[in-house]
Amino acid sequence: MLTDVFISPFVDYEFMRRALVGSLALAVSGAPLGVFLILRRMSLAGDALSHAVLPGAAIGYLVAGLSLPAMTFGGLVAGLVVAIATGAASRFTTLREDASLAAFYLVSLALGVTLVSLKGSSVDLLHVLFGSVFGLDDAALFMLAGVSTLTLLTLAIFYRALVLDTLDPLFLRQTSRFGEFIPFLFLGLVVLNLVAGFQALGTLMAVGLIMLPAAAARLWTHELSAALPLAAGVASLCVYAGLVFSNETGAPTGPAIILAAGLCYFASLVFGRAGGVLRLKRPRRHLAG
């Protein structure tokens, strides 16, 4: 019966309901940020920042064990430090931003893995790297819901400023005294969602739920106002599909969710109405003379 596969697990098992609620919170707040990252040509920045979270989370783990507040605070501080340091390196040196991001990405990943390995076991390391979406407790759910709510409210309040900063940052700086503040606000939201995401999906997988649905949405529409909710919807669908697949097959949950997002992205590459392969190969109509 289809209900046994698609509905019953979420009715019968509390851990499945917790996983669904927590992952949906990440989906609806993270994927719209991914759309802005793509438009800003900062897709790799999301990946780099996701690994920048790791050393801070590892230090929190060394101090307090698998403590949610300690690891969250450490990850948030580390992510913000790397974001600021990357901007400073690209501004005051001859290195381009992508080179600075690559350097911080590699160092952060190596440092985080080393710190976790000093005190913990391979199980603890896998928990930090790949998350434990089926192990979300009340504290984690409240944090995910809080981050999601804060992100959506901030996007709604500063939507116009974020769009201007994405499409014409010079105009925003000339017309608003808050123009210099908006990029840091945006990076702060990205880091906050990545920190929340590592609790469920781990530092290696969290960025996938931000970027892949956003990339898929951009292949279906050129309208930003449509791409944001579409990305959130695609991410939510991928969360549900990944949880069902993981429950049925025993596959790791985080990678299953990201693989579902990857399938949506590859399907959009082919069929997307705003940039898919079939759309681009379709012959254009010429105006009749």
Side-chain angles (χ1 to χ4, degrees):
M1 293 288 292
L2 292 178
T3 56
D4 294 334
V5 176
F6 295 104
I7 298 177
S8 294
F10 301 98
V11 175
D12 297 336
Y13 303 113
E14 183 180 4
F15 72 90
M16 289 290 291
R17 294 194 294 273
R18 288 174 174 271
L20 181 62
V21 171
S23 300
L24 286 177
L26 286 174
V28 299
S29 64
L33 293 177
V35 175
F36 280 107
L37 283 171
I38 291 173
L39 291 176
R40 290 166 176 258
R41 299 185 178 182
M42 293 176 61
S43 301
L44 290 178
D47 188 49
L49 289 175
S50 71
H51 295 89
V53 168
L54 185 55
I59 292 173
Y61 170 75
L62 290 177
V63 173
L66 290 174
S67 168
L68 177 62
M71 295 178 68
T72 300
F73 179 76
L76 183 60
V77 171
L80 292 175
V81 167
V82 169
I84 295 172
T86 300
S90 60
R91 181 173 182 179
F92 297 111
T93 70
T94 57
L95 286 178
R96 293 173 59 89
E97 187 175 27
D98 58 344
S100 300
L101 283 172
F104 281 111
Y105 153 75
L106 294 170
V107 173
S108 297
L109 181 60
L111 179 60
V113 171
T114 301
L115 289 174
V116 175
S117 301
L118 288 177
K119 180 180 179 181
S121 63
S122 59
V123 175
D124 297 324
L125 181 59
L126 288 175
H127 174 81
V128 174
L129 292 178
F130 297 103
S132 180
V133 69
F134 283 152
L136 296 177
D137 56 14
D138 289 342
L141 286 179
F142 279 120
M143 184 193 71
L144 291 170
V147 168
S148 179
T149 302
L150 177 62
T151 300
L152 293 176
L153 285 175
T154 304
L155 287 177
I157 294 172
F158 293 97
Y159 176 75
R160 180 178 174 83
L162 285 168
V163 172
L164 284 175
D165 187 59
T166 300
L167 302 179
D168 195 348
L170 182 59
F171 176 76
L172 178 64
R173 284 155 181 71
Q174 291 175 341
T175 57
S176 173
R177 58 181 177 177
F178 299 109
E180 296 290 343
F181 164 75
I182 296 300
F184 295 100
L185 174 66
F186 175 72
L187 284 177
L189 289 178
V190 173
V191 171
L192 190 61
N193 277 264
L194 289 171
V195 170
F198 94 82
Q199 296 292 334
L201 301 176
T203 57
L204 294 184
M205 297 286 108
V207 69
L209 196 58
I210 293 177
M211 297 309 306
L212 288 172
R218 286 291 296 146
L219 290 167
W220 287 97
T221 178
H222 293 298
E223 298 292 332
L224 180 60
S225 58
L228 297 179
L230 180 58
V234 171
S236 300
L237 177 64
C238 295
V239 162
Y240 175 76
L243 289 175
V244 170
F245 179 77
S246 176
N247 182 64
E248 286 296 309
T249 64
T253 313
I257 292 174
I258 303 307
L259 283 175
L263 288 176
C264 287
Y265 170 68
F266 288 126
S268 301
L269 278 179
V270 177
F271 301 106
R273 297 179 58 188
V277 173
L278 295 182
R279 177 70 175 180
L280 294 178
K281 292 182 67 175
R282 188 180 305 169
R284 298 180 180 179
R285 295 180 179 179
H286 295 278
L287 296 175

